[in-house]
Amino acid sequence: LSLHDALPISTISAGGVKCEACALATEPNADHTVCEDCATRGDGHYRGPDSGGSCQVCGAGTEPHTDRTSCGSCASGYAGSEGTCAVCADGTTPNAAQTACQRCSDGHIGSAGLCTVCAAGSEPNGDQTACTDCATGFAGTGGECVQCAPGKTPVEDRTSCVACDVGKAGSDGTCSQCLDGEQANSALHPTSCV
């Protein structure tokens, strides 16, 4: 049995003279002669009071604290695995466990891993990185735009729909002026000129 085999897992002995315990956040090298920082094993490694004599990898959704003696949750907007966290791409946000990034909810946009709802009268673009005004004939709130009903058109800020003005009619969320001698088919729901 060699001296190396007889040493406790978290101790070292320089020259075989005296065993010393390695401090937290360090571990013995392969021949138990010096303590090495857990950072030499990789970004996600730590050694705390309950992690045994060797450096361990932090669990998914966590990373080592700066002193490398414990792990903490990834920061807001970040997700990760194997002890390494990274900011989520624009248009995405971390899942509840902070182990992966997922698309922002409908009506929301994302930047730096944080999602926010679009203002009334707008909705997210295709990759959910910016809000755009509701399209012609559409209005909405909560980041979702819907086409106005026949005989209605959006108000100027595109937050709601109102009936077409007198003398106008429409069916696709827009209203057009009736020709001379014509009038809207209905005052409440002017969908065509007759």
Side-chain angles (χ1 to χ4, degrees):
L1 185 68
S2 72
L3 174 64
H4 171 250
D5 295 330
L7 291 174
I9 193 166
S10 63
T11 61
I12 60 167
S13 174
V17 179
K18 179 182 171 193
C19 292
E20 295 178 28
C22 289
L24 297 180
T26 66
E27 68 179 356
N29 65 353
D31 60 4
H32 285 256
T33 57
V34 294
C35 296
E36 296 179 333
D37 190 280
C38 289
T40 62
R41 297 273 309 268
D43 289 339
H45 289 79
Y46 78 102
R47 182 172 160 255
D50 299 324
S51 60
S54 61
C55 299
Q56 307 292 317
V57 176
C58 291
T62 68
E63 64 184 348
H65 288 118
T66 52
D67 66 3
R68 292 196 178 269
T69 61
S70 62
C71 301
S73 296
C74 294
S76 182
Y78 286 67
S81 62
E82 298 181 6
T84 305
C85 299
V87 67
C88 289
D90 289 349
T92 67
T93 190
N95 62 11
Q98 289 185 278
T99 57
C101 299
Q102 60 190 14
R103 286 181 58 88
C104 294
S105 300
D106 289 345
H108 292 70
I109 60 164
S111 176
L114 303 174
C115 296
T116 55
V117 67
C118 288
S122 67
E123 65 184 351
N125 62 3
D127 59 4
Q128 290 184 272
T129 58
C131 296
T132 59
D133 289 341
C134 292
T136 301
F138 288 71
T141 59
E144 296 184 39
C145 299
V146 294
Q147 189 170 28
C148 293
K152 296 191 174 196
T153 190
V155 294
E156 187 175 340
D157 64 4
R158 297 184 182 181
T159 57
S160 62
C161 300
V162 295
C164 294
D165 291 336
V166 174
K168 293 183 177 184
S171 61
D172 58 0
T174 60
C175 298
S176 299
Q177 184 70 45
C178 291
L179 299 173
D180 286 342
E182 293 183 336
Q183 62 183 7
N185 63 340
S186 167
L188 293 176
H189 303 288
T191 57
S192 64
C193 298
V194 290

